[in-house]
Amino acid sequence: SQTIHQWPATLVQPVGSPLSLECTVEGTSNPNLYWYRQAAGRGLQLLFYSVGIGQISSEVPQNLSASRPQDRQFILSSKKLLLSDSGFYLCAWSVRASASYEQYFGPGTRLTVT
Amino acid sequence: AQSVTQPDIHITVSEGASLELRCNYSYGATPYLFWYVQSPGQGLQLLLKYFSGDTLVQGIKGFEAEFKRSQSSFNLRKPSVHWSDAAEYFCAVGATGHSGGYQKVTFGTGTKLQVIP
């Protein structure tokens, strides 16, 4: 069966510090991968998606970047965190080119920028 | 572009009572519709999905949803709510994506369900 991992689970970082959040998927190959940010009362905002290694698309301009160095690894980064980067970050995967559109989510990372 | 509206931010029901969470979508073609549930501090879990066929779909944990094209709705229901159902519920719509097999799923802002004894 497929599983998706995210770490760390929680993170407190000062403004201006770098960020690296990692997401890995097991039990599937060639998945589409997604990074979402969730803010209270605002639902899920899609930040990045990837349809393959090294292929990253950004949905919104921001202080963050993403990379996909391996097929089942997706990394969210920042060089200098802002207060507004605080939130709950969710990684998700889906079967590539599937007609079903189902996305499966990881447990999330709670980021607090102080 | 597709969109999803969940008009109820917060709903409180008594344990054992029936539940209906509302969802309205906007999409030009036949939509792919989903309901997800999120417990505090956790990721989202898929409850059920609709792609085609029978407009009444059954999901996990005793939930069901009905697709009504004429009303552009996909409301989630449960006949008898349990205290463990307290969580946040998200409706989502999927649409034809960009090249390369990307599927764009748009989420509503969620409905928080409180269950009282």
Side-chain angles (χ1 to χ4, degrees):
Chain A
S1 64
Q2 301 87 7
T3 55
I4 178 169
H5 304 278
Q6 288 186 244
W7 63 88
T10 59
L11 190 60
V12 180
Q13 292 283 91
V15 168
S17 64
L19 172 74
S20 181
L21 303 182
E22 189 164 343
C23 170
T24 58
V25 181
E26 296 177 354
T28 188
S29 297
N30 304 315
N32 285 348
L33 295 171
Y34 310 85
W35 277 113
Y36 289 89
R37 177 167 57 205
Q38 187 177 24
R42 296 181 63 183
L44 278 73
Q45 179 187 36
L46 179 63
L47 302 176
F48 300 95
Y49 66 91
S50 171
V51 299
I53 295 174
Q55 301 178 62
I56 309 295
S57 296
S58 173
E59 282 288 297
V60 293
Q62 58 209 314
N63 183 45
L64 302 168
S65 62
S67 61
R68 186 170 177 174
Q70 300 179 44
D71 181 47
R72 290 170 289 178
Q73 184 185 30
F74 205 22
I75 296 172
L76 184 70
S77 304
S78 174
K79 292 182 179 178
K80 289 186 178 182
L81 282 169
L82 306 172
L83 284 174
S84 57
D85 292 323
S86 293
F88 192 52
Y89 288 83
L90 290 159
C91 181
W93 72 273
S94 66
V95 176
R96 185 176 303 174
S98 165
S100 65
Y101 296 90
E102 295 162 63
Q103 294 186 11
Y104 301 94
F105 286 81
T109 295
R110 173 73 60 190
L111 172 65
T112 303
V113 182
T114 60
Chain B
Q2 71 268 34
S3 66
V4 179
T5 301
Q6 293 181 249
D8 303 307
I9 297 173
H10 191 272
I11 282 184
T12 301
V13 300
S14 299
E15 190 168 16
S18 63
L19 171 71
E20 183 168 23
L21 302 182
R22 296 184 292 165
C23 172
N24 293 98
Y25 69 89
S26 174
Y27 183 59
T30 300
Y32 294 72
L33 295 162
F34 310 89
W35 276 100
Y36 286 84
V37 61
Q38 184 182 33
S39 297
Q42 303 297 314
L44 276 70
Q45 181 184 20
L46 181 67
L47 280 176
L48 48 77
K49 60 192 179 190
Y50 171 78
F51 300 141
S52 63
D54 192 347
T55 57
L56 184 64
V57 293
Q58 303 296 321
I60 63 171
K61 304 185 180 187
F63 285 92
E64 66 179 26
E66 187 171 11
F67 169 61
K68 293 186 177 180
R69 185 187 299 276
S70 62
Q71 299 176 21
S72 297
S73 68
F74 189 57
N75 293 350
L76 182 71
R77 302 195 293 247
K78 187 168 185 179
S80 177
V81 170
H82 188 262
W83 64 266
S84 60
D85 294 324
E88 190 159 18
Y89 292 80
F90 292 90
C91 183
V93 59
T96 304
H98 307 276
S99 62
Y102 158 58
Q103 304 108 349
K104 183 173 178 66
V105 177
T106 300
F107 289 82
T109 51
T111 297
K112 272 192 182 168
L113 174 65
Q114 181 182 9
V115 181
I116 56 177

